[in-house]
């Protein structure tokens, strides 16, 4: 026990707790935040971190899936088709990496893969918001809890997500969610989250099993990670209604982008230079995004006939049912069902 309780133990516990709160607040996948946080803490090589993160995710995602299942929110047929594609690829992904990459280069290649996966997660999340913005302004389809399933594209989405998660632990709650939203734009918010959680449980379990088989499991990393992330997720879920979601979600896009570039830099990605790190460049990217993201988002809103700032907020755009509560008008901002302006 004394060997387990160390300063590193509490660092991992704190990281798990913090990331768990963010996951509970936003519903975004923990892998996109937890994996880079642990790598930057220096608690293990990339393969060890990915394995521990997937194992912890299998625990807290199971709890979330059970809650949603009891409330009847998942679309089970849709989740089944996703699982058909995701589980085999989650099992295969780590073995593909091990078979194609020299063991001495695995850590570097894995950091590169995670870095690009983080940038993809940030880009797909931004795309998700833009798709929602266009849907709201166009008066898109209202929530449909039982859309017609499209098996082939759904299986392909699951396969891509399974490959990403199996190799990097990133993608379960970010890339797959965005793809589901684009394939089934009428799926209600609670159905979307519930379906993603249900399919994510066998996905992360398969990915964890495959990674444990190849890399083993570091209990010194996994136990504090679980002890921190589970209560953090519960607390985040409880305080979510009282927290300004729009600012948090924009901040996550900035953090994902900076983390992705930092990991690429740490892995010696050639365009950034193989023999040096560039913390100033990464900081400048973060500052530029803090300044430019709201400006670009405001211009996209103006393109859709909305003021640069105000309603619908980023958090409201996350809800596919928002269009039913605030229908668009031919000119000007959306108005509420009582005929009054929706307000900022």
């Amino acid at each position: 026990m004394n060997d387990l309780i160390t300063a590193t133990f509490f660092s991992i516990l704190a990281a798990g707790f913090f990331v768990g709160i963010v996951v509970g607040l936003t519903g975004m996948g923990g892998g996109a935040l937890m994996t880079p946080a642990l790598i930057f803490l220096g608690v293990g090589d990339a393969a060890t971190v990915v394995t521990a993160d997937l194992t912890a995710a299998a625990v807290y995602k199971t709890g979330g899936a059970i809650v949603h299942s009891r409330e009847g929110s998942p679309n089970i047929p849709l989740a089944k088709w996703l699982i058909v594609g995701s589980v085999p690829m989650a099992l295969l992904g780590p073995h593909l990496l091990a078979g194609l990459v020299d063991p001495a280069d695995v850590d570097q290649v894995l950091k590169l893969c995670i870095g690009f996966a983080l940038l993809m997660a940030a880009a797909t999340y931004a795309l998700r918001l833009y798709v929602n913005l266009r849907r709201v302004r166009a008066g898109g389809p209202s929530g449909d809890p039982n859309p017609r399933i499209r098996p082939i594209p759904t299986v392909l989405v699951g396969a891509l997500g399974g490959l990403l998660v199996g190799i990097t632990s990133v993608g379960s709650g970010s890339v797959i969610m965005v793809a589901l939203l684009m394939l089934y734009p009428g799926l209600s918010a609670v159905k979307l989250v519930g379906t993603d959680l249900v399919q994510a449980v066998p996905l992360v379990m398969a990915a964890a099993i495959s990674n444990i088989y190849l890399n083993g499991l570091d209990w010194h990393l996994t136990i504090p990670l679980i002890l921190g992330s589970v209560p953090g997720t519960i607390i985040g879920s409880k305080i979510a209604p009282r927290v300004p979601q729009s600012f948090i979600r924009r901040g996550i896009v900035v953090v994902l982008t900076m983390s992705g570039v930092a990991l690429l830099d740490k892995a010696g990605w050639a365009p950034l230079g193989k023999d040096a790190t560039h913390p100033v460049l990464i900081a400048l990217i973060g500052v530029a995004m803090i300044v430019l993201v709201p400006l670009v988002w405001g211009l996209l809103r103006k393109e859709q006939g909305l003021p640069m700032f105000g309603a619908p907020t980023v958090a409201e755009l996350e809800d596919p049912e928002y269009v039913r509560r605030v229908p668009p008008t031919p000119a000007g901002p959306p108005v509420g069902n009582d005929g009054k302006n929706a307000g900022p």
Side-chain angles (χ1 to χ4, degrees), residues 8 12 38-49 107 111 218 221:
T8 302
I12 299 167
L38 294 174
I39 290 175
F40 293 134
L41 277 176
V43 296
D45 59 33
T48 301
V49 166
D107 188 65
K111 287 174 182 174
D218 186 346
L221 179 53

Side-chain angles (χ1 to χ4, degrees), residues 49-94:
V49 166
V50 167
T51 304
D53 181 42
L54 286 168
T55 305
V59 175
Y60 65 73
K61 283 180 181 289
T62 298
I66 290 172
V67 171
H68 278 270
S69 296
R70 287 177 176 174
E71 295 176 355
S73 62
N75 185 309
I76 298 300
L78 177 56
K80 287 179 179 177
W81 281 110
L82 286 168
I83 291 168
V84 167
S86 66
V87 169
M89 293 305 294
L91 290 168
L92 181 62

Side-chain angles (χ1 to χ4, degrees), residues 250-251 253-259 261 278-296:
R250 290 176 189 174
V253 173
V254 175
V255 170
L256 289 177
T257 303
M258 291 179 67
S259 297
V261 175
H278 305 80
V280 174
L281 172 63
I282 295 163
L284 289 174
I285 289 173
V287 171
M289 288 197 66
I290 291 172
V291 173
L292 293 177
V293 165
L295 177 61
V296 173

Side-chain angles (χ1 to χ4, degrees), residues 16-30 33 60 68 125 128 173 177 193 197 229-252 314-316 318:
F17 182 73
F18 174 74
V19 173
I21 287 177
V22 176
V23 171
L25 282 173
T26 64
M28 292 190 70
L33 301 171
Y60 65 73
H68 278 270
Y125 182 70
R128 170 178 166 181
M177 282 276 281
V193 174
L197 275 173
S229 61
V230 171
T233 303
I234 294 171
I235 292 172
S237 300
K238 289 185 178 296
I239 66 175
R242 297 186 292 275
V243 176
Q245 292 280 312
S246 295
F247 292 107
I248 292 175
R249 292 169 189 270
R250 290 176 189 174
I252 287 176
V314 171
E316 287 168 335
E318 287 284 271

